[in-house]
Amino acid sequence: MSSATSGDRYLLYLQPAMQDIAQLDDSLLAPIQSEIEKFLSMWDVSKLFAKTPTSHLGQIKKDRSDVRAFGSYWNAGDVHVLLVLALYKKSHESEYWSRVPQFSARAESYHEELDKHAAEGDIRDALENFRGRPNYHLVGPESPY
């Protein structure tokens, strides 16, 4: 998951992350969203993840914050995507960590889908198709440099 990157950046919030966001109040949500959005401008993506339990999954956390997230980094050429799979309160950490195999498998499935679109040359169109769809939230493209 480590690499220095430039190019277009996208954040793609998936389910259950969208449902998790709806259940958190702004005071809990703001710190973790701020940490996740650092992806849009950071040079070394590996610094976003506090822990990487699998090759497809990383934990995102902000120090002294009560909310954590699971995300997955994907890239092809100059397109970089952070898939946000789940957000959870620190008090529910063991429950979410027990689901790491499921989150990792889901991330891997999205990676395969994105790989297919990248190979066909329509990755940006495929990402734009998520915009405005229920159960998804797409941020980007943004270019950090």
Side-chain angles (χ1 to χ4, degrees):
M1 277 198 224
S2 68
S3 66
T5 60
S6 63
D8 289 341
R9 305 285 182 94
Y10 295 85
L11 290 175
L12 181 57
Y13 289 86
L14 310 169
Q15 284 295 1
M18 294 298 296
Q19 181 179 349
D20 298 336
I21 287 170
Q23 295 176 358
L24 293 171
D25 66 52
D26 287 343
S27 67
L28 290 172
L29 188 56
I32 193 65
Q33 275 192 313
S34 171
E35 195 69 17
I36 289 167
E37 289 173 4
K38 285 181 180 179
F39 169 78
L40 296 170
S41 61
M42 68 184 352
W43 177 249
D44 186 356
V45 173
S46 68
K47 302 219 182 299
L48 180 66
F49 298 107
K51 298 176 184 174
T52 51
T54 73
S55 62
H56 288 94
L57 194 67
Q59 182 196 45
I60 303 165
K61 68 179 187 175
K62 182 157 179 93
D63 290 339
R64 296 179 296 281
S65 171
D66 289 331
V67 179
R68 310 285 190 253
F70 280 127
S72 183
Y73 170 67
W74 176 91
N75 79 293
D78 64 346
V79 176
H80 305 269
V81 179
L82 178 64
L83 304 169
V84 182
L85 291 113
L87 285 82
Y88 57 93
K89 290 182 181 179
K90 187 177 178 181
S91 59
H92 297 128
E93 197 156 30
S94 63
E95 171 193 341
Y96 276 79
W97 275 85
S98 71
R99 295 169 55 194
V100 160
Q102 296 160 301
F103 291 130
S104 184
R106 187 139 191 258
E108 187 173 5
S109 175
Y110 273 94
H111 283 224
E112 290 169 0
E113 181 179 341
L114 294 172
D115 286 341
K116 183 184 110 198
H117 287 289
E120 294 170 358
D122 67 347
I123 187 60
R124 285 178 175 85
D125 290 338
L127 288 166
E128 285 299 325
N129 285 333
F130 286 106
R131 195 176 306 280
R133 287 178 51 193
N135 301 321
Y136 297 94
H137 178 67
L138 181 69
V139 178
E142 295 194 22
S143 213
Y145 306 101

